Amino acid sequence: MGVERFGMEVKMNTALSWIKAYVPDLECTDQEYMDAMTLSGTKVEGYSRRDHNLDKIVVGQIEKIERHPDADKLIVCQVNIGTEVIQIVTGAPNVSEGDKVPVVLNGGKVAGGHDGGPLPEDGIAIKAGKLRGVPSNGMMCSIEELGSDRNMYPEAPELGIYIFKEDVEVGSDAIEALGLHDTVFEYEVTSNRVDCYSVIGIAREAAATFRKPFYPPQVFVTGNGGNVEDYISVEVEDRELCPRYCARVCTNIQIGPSPKWMQRRLAASGIRPINNLVDITNYVMEEYGQPMHAYDLETIAGHKIIVRRAKDGDVFKTLDGQERKLDADVLMICDAEKEVGIAGIMGGENSMITDEVKTVLFEAASFNGANIRKSAKRVGLRTDASGKFEKGLDPHNAAAAINRACQLIEELGCGEVVDGMVDVCSELKTEVELTFEPDRYNRLLGTDVSKEEMLEIFQRIEVQYDAAENKLIIPTFRQDILRQCDIAEEVARFYGYDKIPSTLPNGEATTGKLPFKLRIEQKARDIAEYCGFSQGMCYSFESPKVFDKLLLEADDPARRAIGISNPLGEDFSIMRTVSLNGMLTSLATNYNRRNKDVRLYELGNIYIPKNLPLTELPDERMQFTLGMYGEGDFFTMKGVIEEFFDSIGLCKKITYDPNAGKNFLHPGRQAKVVYEGCILGYLGEVHPEVCDNYDMKAKAYVAVLDMPAIIPYATFDRKYEGIAKYPAVMRDISMVVPKEIMVGQIEDVIAQRGGKILEEYQLFDIYEGDQIKEGFKSVAYSITFRAKDRTLEESDITAAMKKILNGLEGMGIELRS
C-alpha cells in the first residue's frame, strides 16, 4: 500500500489479493469492485492489473544446454514445459540445466523488454522464429519482461532470466507462481478516515460494501517465558505528546529473507522486501496502519527508553545519514544517555538494526498528530510513518499492532518473544455512544430505511447496538463518527446513494437569495458573458518578476507583496497585488495558439498588506478584470464597463481621467474610472512593451474594476416612469474644439446648463483634418429636450441652448456655421 499525500486526501495503493486475505468470499470483477467501493464512500481512483499484457507464460525446466553453432554468446536450451519439450535460443548468462524458469510460449505476450525501460502500452508479442539460423519456439523471461523489477523481487538476477528458487510444478502458470495474478487499486482516502490507512480498514469497508464476512487476523503470541521488564523500562515525560507507548522484546533473532507470501504482498503494494525483521515492521504498518520501529536492544544505553522533548539547538543524525536540527517542540525517543529516534518520524543512525542483531526492542506508540505534522515540517523530513501519525491514530491500535508483529516473529521463526508488554498509557479514549434515532436519519436523508435495515448496516461496520439503552456504541477506530449526522452518513453510504430519491425540501424557512455582494458579482459575470467574454481563473500566487514585466516603478506600492513562507517555487512565492499578470498570461497563451478575437474576464482577489512584515490579515479585494484582443478597441471596453455600471444602478455620470498613471498601459490610451469623486478602477490599451514581455504581438485592452469600491454605490432599486406624453425637440450643434478639451468636459457643460428639460445628448461625430484649423477638432452633438408636463415652446429651447453655448464659448469652443 504505497501512500502519497495529496492536499487533504491521501492516495494509496492496495493489492486485491491482500484484501481477500480478510474477505475470502469476495467475488467480483475489478470494475465492479471499483464502482461499489466508490459508491459506498471509499473512493477508488483507478486500478491496474499486475498481469497486464502477460499471456501464455508457464513454468519450464531446462533439461539440456548446448552452445549455438554460429554465435558465441547464444546457447540452445531444451525446455520441458509439461506437455512437451521445446527448443529456445537465448543469450542469458545465468541459466543452468535443471533450472525452472518462466517461459512465454509461441503466440504469447510479455509486458516489456529486458532492459527494464518504460512498458509498452500493448506489451510485446512473442512468435516462434530463428536466431542465427537455429529455431526458437518461445522465450525465457527476466523479471523486467514480466513487468516488475528487482526492487520487488530481490531474488531476481541483475542481468538474466528469473529462476524459481522454490519448488514449482513444471507446466504450471508462472504468473500465478510469481503472485502476479493480482490487481492494485488506487484509493483516495480523506484525512478523517484514519482507519482506512490500512489494509484491514479497506478490507472492513469491502466486507461491509459487498455484505461478506470479515475475518481480521487472529493474534496469539506464545512467548518464551521471561519478563519484559527485566529487559527494558520506559519513561514518558510528556504524556500530552505521547499518550501511549508500547514496548516488547524479542530474543534470538535470526535475520533472513521473509517468506514469499509476505514479499509478494509487500511488492504488490509498492514496498521493497528487505529481510524478515524489516518486512515484518513494514507489513504490520500496512496491515494495521500503525507505524512501528525496531531497535537493537544492545544499542539502548541502560536498557531504558525515555520519551521527552528535544532541547533547542540539538542536532540528531537520522537513519538516512542526515543531520537534523531540533528544538524543544520536537518529541524524541531517547535511551539513558542519548537520543535514538525522532518520535513518529524516523529512528537514529546510532540505533540502526544490523544483520548481527540478537535482541530486538519493538516500539508501537501513539503520538499527538498536530505535533508530528509540525515536527516533520520543522526538521524537513516526512515519512510514511509521520504521514499516518499526523492524522491522529487510535491509541488502542498500538497494542494490537505490536502483538501482531510478535506473532509474525514466532510464526516466521525469526526469534523468540519475551512474555509481557511495557505499556505506558494515559487514559485511553472511550467508545462514543449515540442515541439511535432512525426517524431523524430518514428525515436528514429523505429516505425510508427501516430500523432493522439500519441495524444490519451498523452490524456490518462493527457499530454495536445496546437495545436496553437504545444506544449505538462506536468502535474507537472510527474516530470520524462523533454525532448524529455522521451516523446518518453511514446509513446513506451503505444503503446506497443511488437509491436515495430526489425530494423537494420542506420546512418553514422563506426562500433565500444571494447576499448583495454576490449578486453584484453575478451581475458582473452576466454582463461580461453577454458581451462575449469567457470566464477564466488565475493563480493568487505569483512571481516577483511580474512587477518588472508590467514595468512598475521601483517604489510602486504594488511591489509591496506578501511573501509565502513555504512557496512551491520562485514563480509562486508572493501573493498577487495586481490582477493583470494572470489575465495577460491567458491572453498571450490564446494568442500564441492562434485563437482570434479572444475576450476573457476574471473575478478574483488581490492581497494588499496593511504592513510588512504581516501583523494582521491583509486587505483581500475582489477585482473584476477584463481583457481582450482582436475585434474591438478602447471604446469597446469602455462600453462593457458602462453596461455593467448601468446594470447595478450607477445612474450618475461616470467620468474618465486620462491621467491614470499606469506604466503598463499605453500613455495616450488609458483612463481612471471615476464615480462621484471615487476611483473605481482603470482601463486602457496595454503598453506595447508589456505585450512584448508576454510574447503577444497584438493590441490588447484591459479593464480592472475594484469591487469593494463599487459596491457602496450599487443598487438594485429601480424607479420606473411612464411613457412621455409630450413630444421631444432635438437640436444638433457642431463645434470647433481645442484638441486638449475632452468630450467629457463638453458633456459636463451640456448637462449642467441644459436645465430640467434636457432629456439626453448624444455624440455623433468627431473629425480632425485639413478643413479644421491646426490644434482643433470638430465635435458634433445631438441634444434632446422634453418637458414632462407640457409641450415645449421655441423660447424654452432657445433659452436652454443659449446657456449651453455660452458655457462652451467660455471654454474656447467655437460654433461651426
Side-chain angles (χ1 to χ4, degrees), residues 197-210:
Y197 295 152
S198 65
V199 177
I200 287 177
I202 295 292
R204 187 183 286 113
E205 289 290 302
T209 298
F210 290 93

Side-chain angles (χ1 to χ4, degrees), residues 506-562:
N506 55 51
E508 299 178 356
T510 57
T511 302
K513 62 181 180 180
L514 288 174
F516 184 75
K517 171 180 176 292
L518 297 185
R519 291 174 67 194
I520 298 298
E521 292 175 9
Q522 186 58 54
K523 184 62 70 173
R525 293 186 187 93
D526 292 344
I527 294 301
E529 289 166 12
Y530 169 76
C531 294
F533 288 75
S534 298
Q535 186 171 14
M537 297 183 69
C538 303
Y539 291 115
S540 294
F541 300 163
E542 289 189 336
S543 167
K545 298 175 183 177
V546 165
F547 302 132
D548 293 331
K549 292 178 70 175
L550 293 175
L551 309 181
L552 296 186
E553 300 289 351
D555 59 349
D556 194 299
R559 287 183 179 267
R560 296 184 69 253
I562 302 166

Side-chain angles (χ1 to χ4, degrees), residues 471-490:
K471 296 281 189 181
L472 297 173
I473 303 171
I474 314 303
T476 57
F477 61 79
R478 287 303 302 273
Q479 299 185 54
D480 60 306
I481 302 180
L482 301 173
R483 49 188 67 86
Q484 295 293 354
C485 58
D486 299 325
I487 288 291
E489 182 184 7
E490 297 301 299

Side-chain angles (χ1 to χ4, degrees), residues 448-755:
D448 188 21
V449 182
S450 67
K451 173 182 177 181
E452 292 71 24
E453 190 171 357
M454 289 185 188
L455 290 175
E456 190 272 333
I457 290 172
F458 299 149
Q459 184 180 14
R460 281 190 271 152
I461 61 175
E462 302 183 30
V463 171
Q464 300 176 21
Y465 175 57
D466 183 343
E469 297 289 333
N470 192 38
K471 296 281 189 181
L472 297 173
I473 303 171
I474 314 303
T476 57
F477 61 79
R478 287 303 302 273
Q479 299 185 54
D480 60 306
I481 302 180
L482 301 173
R483 49 188 67 86
Q484 295 293 354
C485 58
D486 299 325
I487 288 291
E489 182 184 7
E490 297 301 299
V491 173
R493 67 192 191 95
F494 288 110
Y495 172 72
Y497 290 116
D498 55 330
K499 297 179 184 177
I500 298 177
S502 298
T503 57
L504 292 173
N506 55 51
E508 299 178 356
T510 57
T511 302
K513 62 181 180 180
L514 288 174
F516 184 75
K517 171 180 176 292
L518 297 185
R519 291 174 67 194
I520 298 298
E521 292 175 9
Q522 186 58 54
K523 184 62 70 173
R525 293 186 187 93
D526 292 344
I527 294 301
E529 289 166 12
Y530 169 76
C531 294
F533 288 75
S534 298
Q535 186 171 14
M537 297 183 69
C538 303
Y539 291 115
S540 294
F541 300 163
E542 289 189 336
S543 167
K545 298 175 183 177
V546 165
F547 302 132
D548 293 331
K549 292 178 70 175
L550 293 175
L551 309 181
L552 296 186
E553 300 289 351
D555 59 349
D556 194 299
R559 287 183 179 267
R560 296 184 69 253
I562 302 166
I564 298 169
S565 59
N566 56 341
L568 299 175
E570 184 183 5
D571 288 344
F572 303 95
S573 61
I574 62 170
M575 304 297 290
R576 66 177 180 177
T577 56
V578 291
S579 61
L580 279 183
N581 176 63
M583 177 59 67
L584 292 176
T585 300
S586 298
L587 290 176
T589 300
N590 278 274
Y591 176 81
N592 289 303
R593 292 180 182 174
R594 301 188 178 182
N595 292 327
K596 296 181 178 180
D597 301 327
V598 172
R599 296 187 177 192
L600 301 173
Y601 78 93
E602 181 202 15
L603 279 164
N605 285 341
I606 58 172
Y607 304 85
I608 309 299
K610 296 173 184 175
N611 44 59
L612 287 176
L614 287 178
T615 57
E616 57 182 316
L617 292 176
D619 185 10
E620 299 184 28
R621 302 188 71 83
M622 175 68 70
Q623 306 291 288
F624 179 26
T625 307
L626 301 117
M628 69 179 190
Y629 67 80
E631 184 178 352
D633 56 18
F634 178 94
F635 297 102
T636 305
M637 185 67 79
K638 177 172 173 283
V640 174
I641 64 175
E642 289 183 349
E643 185 80 20
F644 168 58
F645 289 148
D646 183 64
S647 70
I648 59 173
L650 272 66
C651 55
K652 296 183 180 179
K653 180 177 175 59
I654 304 291
T655 59
Y656 299 90
D657 182 356
N659 299 313
K662 304 295 182 183
N663 288 8
F664 45 79
L665 296 180
H666 192 292
R669 300 165 193 168
Q670 59 175 280
K672 287 187 289 191
V673 182
V674 183
Y675 186 80
E676 292 193 351
C678 177
I679 299 173
L680 305 185
Y682 58 85
L683 78 158
E685 179 184 325
V686 179
H687 197 291
E689 186 175 341
V690 174
C691 286
D692 288 341
N693 290 341
Y694 284 88
D695 194 22
M696 184 165 50
K697 308 300 181 184
K699 289 184 177 181
Y701 300 89
V702 294
V704 178
L705 300 179
D706 186 39
M707 298 299 277
I710 292 172
I711 288 173
Y713 298 104
T715 177
F716 289 107
D717 294 337
R718 295 291 186 269
K719 182 179 180 181
Y720 294 94
E721 297 182 353
I723 298 174
K725 298 179 180 179
Y726 301 98
V729 178
M730 298 180 63
R731 292 288 187 270
D732 292 343
I733 58 173
S734 181
M735 300 162 282
V736 177
V737 180
K739 282 187 177 182
E740 63 271 13
I741 294 179
M742 296 178 293
V743 293
Q745 295 172 272
I746 298 173
E747 291 175 358
D748 288 342
V749 171
I750 296 174
Q752 292 168 7
R753 293 176 170 261

Side-chain angles (χ1 to χ4, degrees), residues 72 132 234 268 442 507 604 650 674 729:
D72 294 338
R132 299 292 293 270
V234 176
N442 279 323
L650 272 66
V674 183
V729 178

Side-chain angles (χ1 to χ4, degrees), residues 726-731 750 753-760 783-787 792 796-798 800-801 804:
Y726 301 98
V729 178
M730 298 180 63
R731 292 288 187 270
I750 296 174
R753 293 176 170 261
K756 294 182 179 180
I757 62 172
L758 176 67
E759 184 175 71
E760 66 173 356
I783 303 175
T784 303
F785 298 97
R786 189 196 307 265
L792 291 175
D796 298 321
I797 308 300
T798 301
M801 285 299 298
I804 291 172

